[in-house]
Amino acid sequence: MSTPQVVVVMGVSGTGKTTIGPLLAARLGVPYAEGDDFHPPANIAKMSAGTPLTDEDRRPWLDAIGAWAHRRAGLGGVVSSSALKRSYRDRLRAAAPGVVFVHLTGARELIESRMSHRTGHFMPAALLDSQFATLQPLQPDEPGVAVEVSGSPAQITERAVTALHGYAGSRPAPSA
């Protein structure tokens, strides 16, 4: 990636967005923003209670992430966001047209195991089914790459960096 991009690290809960996001930002030399910090308190309360968010619940959260990404345009940055639906990613791209997605993917069993071992997170493992049911993987016409989450955080980050460099090299430069 020769010009600073804003990268959205996406995927269902438990894929490692909060772990990989800062590592990826460090490798790219750009700031990291934790997507969960953009949630309004009502969203956190719903998820903590085991209630999935609705599209209406997600709009202000996506708009806040999109505004951060817009401010980082041309400067670069990495932000985490589940971005499970195409419409959510479209909303982020409308706010910040140059964003690129890194979709963290993996076997449900691995992700569930990771979720059951983490502490201090408001998203219960019970909502994993709703996350997978909602997930619409990146489509070929969307800017981004899929990265498998098996292995260590360092290995996953290296795969993400390699995939992003390969992706950037395969795309024409945006016109001014």
Side-chain angles (χ1 to χ4, degrees), residues 42-87:
N43 284 8
I44 293 172
K46 276 183 95 168
M47 290 183 286
S48 295
T51 305
L53 298 179
T54 65
D55 287 352
E56 187 62 34
D57 294 329
R58 291 179 191 276
R59 283 190 187 103
W61 175 65
L62 291 166
D63 290 344
I65 292 171
W68 183 89
H70 178 78
R71 287 190 302 275
R72 297 299 311 167
L75 302 171
V78 174
V79 63
S80 58
S81 168
S82 54
L84 298 176
K85 288 185 178 180
R86 168 81 185 239
S87 63

Side-chain angles (χ1 to χ4, degrees), residues 81-157:
S81 168
S82 54
L84 298 176
K85 288 185 178 180
R86 168 81 185 239
S87 63
Y88 303 164
R89 297 187 296 273
D90 289 346
R91 191 172 189 98
L92 292 172
R93 279 194 307 276
V99 299
V100 175
F101 295 92
V102 170
H103 180 187
L104 299 179
T105 65
R108 187 192 190 292
E109 296 77 24
L110 172 64
I111 295 166
E112 185 173 32
S113 173
R114 288 182 178 174
M115 285 183 78
S116 68
H117 291 98
R118 70 183 183 183
T119 59
H121 196 278
F122 58 81
M123 176 68 94
L127 289 181
L128 188 57
D129 286 336
S130 73
Q131 292 255 305
F132 272 108
T134 302
L135 177 64
Q136 297 170 344
L138 280 177
Q139 297 301 301
D141 66 326
E142 292 184 273
V145 296
V147 175
E148 166 60 40
V149 297
S150 60
S152 71
Q155 291 169 324
I156 299 164
T157 301

Side-chain angles (χ1 to χ4, degrees), residues 26-47:
R27 283 291 307 277
L28 299 176
V30 296
Y32 171 72
E34 170 55 54
D36 287 340
D37 293 344
F38 293 91
H39 274 297
N43 284 8
I44 293 172
K46 276 183 95 168
M47 290 183 286

Side-chain angles (χ1 to χ4, degrees), residues 9 12 26 29 66 87 106 124 143-144 164:
V9 179
V12 299
S87 63
L164 284 169

